Structures are given as structure tokens and as C-alpha cells.
């Protein structure tokens, strides 16, 4: 089923409503020379037909609607981690499942209602402190998953998102990250995670995940892990450890300099042979040992993106000092209260 982003998709339960264009609507970018469709909310197209945005009628919150098979493991696993018993655990970093909607015209599929999240590279982390927090949350989240006998099997960095509400209190367009909900371009410097008291990260897309299975088959996923096979069973929990270790490699090490202290953790988590890898709990224990050795001075060091323009030593020193002063101020004054729940 494909959703028409220009029309309405009213679910019979009455919980959700997509934006509706009024009768006689005319595209505003056609009314005056020099205007472009990309600068208007109505001109932003839906790039993923199986995933669209909508507003929840009960509170006006923006949510995503995901069209999926009625047999998808996302349903059982999402309901498990969204249960009253588990959803308030601070180590739970699994995407909450807000609702499962049925469509009588398509009984083989359902529509998952899930929170509105943001890519973790929009913006990129700006300091060592923010990278440490990312690793801490995701490793804790993986341990939590495994404690409940769930293996994600595709926990690459593309399947980790963040609650961006603190960073962008005015919101952003669900189909185009760099503009506001009304389609107007964002301007100015990127907001800081540290300045707003931190963000919370979530694992998404449990479409190939398994529960209560110590051996699995399959070659799907974003990370080409060594053991993937359609014929030789492998341990999905050790697979998760490898994939998350490679997520740190791809998202942090390969995109920034100054993070060499993470390399021993990555090497610990990513031996080619699954039997030589730690459990998620052992990886978290190793990480805690590494993180405890980092000084406040080291945590406040700004990151050097690999694409950053070369600069003189003096210019870099001035940038470093400026960021460190702000980091110290933010850390001392900004509340660390967790963000409001997504549900």
C-alpha cells in the first residue's frame, strides 16, 4: 500500500489525520517568478512510500505511519518494549510502538504508529562528551534488549535515531530534515546536544529481529557481517555486538578525528569469529572502564570532522578554547533531566 502525501489517510479508529489540501488549492511556487517548490511545505515529497508522517488527533503530535506485514516481528517486539513493565526502564532504548492499526481493505498488512525521531547525524555530535554519551546509551540499550532475549540483527548506525525535540523545539519537516515544518529553511549554526541537556537515542526497525532464538539464518542487514549465511546457523546476539561495534567505527571514527580512545572497544567487539566476541554486557563493562579514564578536560574537547577545512594551529586552538568554555558552562548549568516520554 502506498500513501498519497498530497491527500488524506483517515484511519477508521480516528486517531490520525494527514494534512489535507483545500479545494481549489494552487501551488504557491507557481504564482510568482523566483519561487521554488522546495521552499514550501506542500512541495516536499514523501521519499519513502511505506513511511509517512501524520498528526495524532488526540494531542496534535507528529508521528510516523509505517506500512508493514501483519506478521512482522516489529509488532511483538515493539509491544514488548512498550509495555508498562518495560517502557519506563531508563536502559530501554527501543523505539516505542504507539499503536497498531488494521485496515479492513488490506488484512495482510497493518500500520504501525511510531514516534517522530531525527537522524543521529543531523547534527553531528560536536564533542568527545557527546560521543561518550552515544556509546553509553546504545550499549546499555543493547544489553537491555539481550536481557529480554531479543536480538536486533540490524543495529547499524542507520537504525539508531535520536529524540530531537530539545535540539529543535520548533520541530522540523518529517521528510526533509533541514527545514522547519512549514518548509522554511533552517539558518544559523547547528544546535548543541550538550547545551540542551543531552538527547536520547533509540534503536529502530526491528523488521528482521528475533526473540528467544539462539541460532538464526539470514543475510539481510546494513552491515556485511562475516557470519551472515542462509545455510549455516549463527548466534544473533554476537552478531549484534559486531554490528554495533562497526556502527561506532562508521559513525564516529571514520567521520571524525580525535577519538582514538574508542578503537580498543571497537576491536574488542568486532573479531571476525563470533566466538571471540564479548557479550553485550561484557562490552559495556569494558566501555565503562575506558570511559572512567576520560578526564573532564578530555570530555570537553570538540570533535574535528574529517571534512573540516584545514586551519592554522592558532585558529584551531582558538576554536578549541571557545568550545571548551561553552562546554564547561553548559555542563555546569544545564539540567540533565531526561526528555519527556515519546509516548
Amino acid at each position: 500500500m502506498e500513501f498519497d502525501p498530497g491527500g488524506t489517510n483517515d484511519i477508521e479508529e480516528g486517531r490520525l489525520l494527514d494534512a489535507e489540501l483545500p479545494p481549489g488549492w494552487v501551488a504557491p511556487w507557481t504564482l510568482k517568478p523566483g519561487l521554488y517548490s522546495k521552499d514550501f511545505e506542500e512541495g516536499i515529497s514523501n521519499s519513502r512510500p511505506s513511511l509517512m508522517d501524520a498528526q495524532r488527533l488526540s494531542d496534535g503530535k507528529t508521528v510516523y505511519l509505517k506500512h508493514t506485514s501483519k506478521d512482522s516481528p516489529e509488532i511483538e517486539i515493539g509491544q514488548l518494549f512498550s509495555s508498562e513493565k518495560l517502557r519506563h526502564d531508563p536502559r530501554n532504548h527501543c523505539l516505542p510502538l504507539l499503536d497498531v492499526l488494521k485496515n479492513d481493505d488490506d488484512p495482510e498488512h497493518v500500520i504501525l504508529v511510531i514516534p517522530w525521531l531525527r537522524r543521529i547525524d543531523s547534527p553531528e555530535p560536536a564533542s568527545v562528551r557527546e560521543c561518550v554519551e552515544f556509546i553509553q546509551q546504545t550499549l546499555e540499550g543493547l544489553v537491555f534488549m539481550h536481557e529480554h532475549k531479543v536480538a536486533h540483527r540490524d543495529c547499524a548506525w542507520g537504525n539508531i535515531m535520536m529524540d530531537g525535540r530539545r535540539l529543535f523545539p520548533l520541530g522540523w519537516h518529517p521528510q526533509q530534515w533541514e527545514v522547519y515544518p512549514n518548509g522554511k529553511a533552517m539558518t544559523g549554526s547547528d544546535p548543541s546536544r550538550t547545551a540542551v541537556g543531552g538527547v536520547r537515542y533509540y534503536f529502530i526497525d526491528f523488521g528482521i529481529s528475533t526473540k528467544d532464538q539462539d541460532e538464526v539464518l539470514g543475510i539481510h542487514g546494513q552491515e556485511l557481517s562475516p557470519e551472515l549465511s542462509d545455510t549455516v546457523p549463527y548466534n544473533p546476539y554476537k552478531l549484534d555486538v559486531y554490528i554495533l561495534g562497526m556502527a561506532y567505527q562508521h559513525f564516529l571514527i571514520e567521520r571524525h578525528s580525535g577519538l582514538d580512545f574508542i578503537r580498543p572497544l571497537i576491536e574488542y567487539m568486532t573479531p571476525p569469529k563470533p566466538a571471540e566476541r564479548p557479550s553485550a554486557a561484557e562490552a559495556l563493562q569494558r566501555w565503562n572502564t575506558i570511559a572512567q579514564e576520560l578526564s573532564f578536560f578530555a570530555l570537553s574537547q570538540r570533535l574535528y570532522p574529517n571534512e573540516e577545512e584545514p586551519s592554522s594551529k592558532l585558529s584551531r586552538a582558538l576554536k578549541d578554547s571557545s568550545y571548551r568554555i561553552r562546554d564547561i558552562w553548559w555542563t555546569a548549568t544545564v539540567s540533565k533531566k531526561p526528555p519527556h516520554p515519546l509516548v
Side-chain angles (χ1 to χ4, degrees), residues 93-332:
H93 290 270
C94 300
L95 178 71
L97 180 57
L98 305 179
D99 210 344
V100 180
L101 306 180
K102 297 178 181 179
N103 185 345
D104 292 339
D105 295 329
D106 186 10
E108 295 303 310
H109 295 87
V110 296
I111 298 171
L112 307 183
V113 185
I114 54 180
W116 183 38
L117 297 177
R118 191 172 177 90
R119 287 174 57 107
I120 59 174
D121 62 345
S122 182
E124 297 272 359
S127 68
V128 169
R129 184 187 313 281
E130 293 176 3
C131 295
V132 166
E133 182 63 22
F134 171 71
I135 295 174
Q136 188 73 33
Q137 288 192 34
T138 50
L139 267 178
E140 285 182 349
L142 191 64
V143 172
F144 182 80
M145 256 192 280
H146 289 185
E147 285 179 356
H148 292 88
K149 300 297 289 179
V150 170
H152 190 288
R153 299 179 60 191
D154 195 17
C155 50
W157 80 265
N159 277 335
I160 303 171
M161 298 189 76
M162 65 180 174
D163 178 1
R165 292 174 298 172
R166 283 181 170 174
L167 291 171
F168 299 92
L170 297 179
W172 62 93
H173 195 281
Q175 302 296 336
Q176 195 165 322
W177 309 97
E178 68 273 16
V179 304
Y180 290 112
N182 62 4
K184 300 300 181 183
M186 295 179 178
T187 58
S189 58
D190 288 335
S192 162
R193 290 161 165 81
T194 307
V196 297
V199 299
R200 188 165 176 83
Y201 298 98
Y202 291 90
F203 292 102
I204 69 165
D205 197 352
F206 290 82
I208 60 172
S209 302
T210 49
K211 187 177 187 307
D212 297 317
Q213 295 185 38
D214 293 331
E215 288 189 333
V216 298
L217 295 171
I219 59 172
H220 300 292
Q222 298 179 34
E223 184 65 47
L224 298 178
S225 307
E227 65 264 42
L228 294 182
S229 172
D230 278 333
T231 58
V232 180
Y234 53 88
N235 184 318
Y237 305 107
K238 292 298 182 75
L239 173 68
D240 277 355
V241 171
Y242 179 91
I243 295 174
L244 190 58
M246 292 305 297
Y248 302 149
Q249 173 70 23
H250 298 319
F251 179 57
L252 299 177
I253 296 294
E254 293 175 5
R255 298 160 72 102
H256 309 88
S257 59
L259 295 174
D260 288 345
F261 68 93
I262 300 174
R263 293 183 186 275
L265 174 69
I266 296 172
E267 293 170 1
Y268 183 54
M269 296 175 67
T270 58
K273 295 181 179 180
E276 297 176 359
R277 298 174 201 156
S279 66
E282 290 168 338
L284 176 59
Q285 186 176 23
R286 175 68 63 90
W287 167 246
N288 286 337
T289 300
I290 294 171
Q292 287 170 3
E293 297 297 319
L294 297 172
S295 66
F296 187 91
F297 187 82
L299 291 171
S300 63
Q301 175 64 50
R302 77 178 183 95
L303 292 189
Y304 303 128
N306 289 339
E307 70 274 10
E308 183 175 86
E309 293 292 330
S311 58
S312 67
K313 289 184 179 180
L314 176 60
S315 175
R316 175 171 281 200
L318 290 173
K319 289 181 180 179
D320 290 350
S321 297
S322 174
Y323 184 87
R324 178 163 282 122
I325 292 170
R326 285 178 287 154
D327 178 89
I328 293 171
W329 172 255
W330 293 329
T331 305

Side-chain angles (χ1 to χ4, degrees), residues 25 27-30 32-45 173 176 178-187:
W25 177 83
W29 54 89
T30 65
K32 184 179 178 181
L35 299 180
Y36 301 94
S37 61
K38 66 181 179 62
D39 295 323
F40 294 84
E41 197 277 338
E42 302 94 331
I44 300 174
S45 61
H173 195 281
Q176 195 165 322
E178 68 273 16
V179 304
Y180 290 112
N182 62 4
K184 300 300 181 183
M186 295 179 178
T187 58

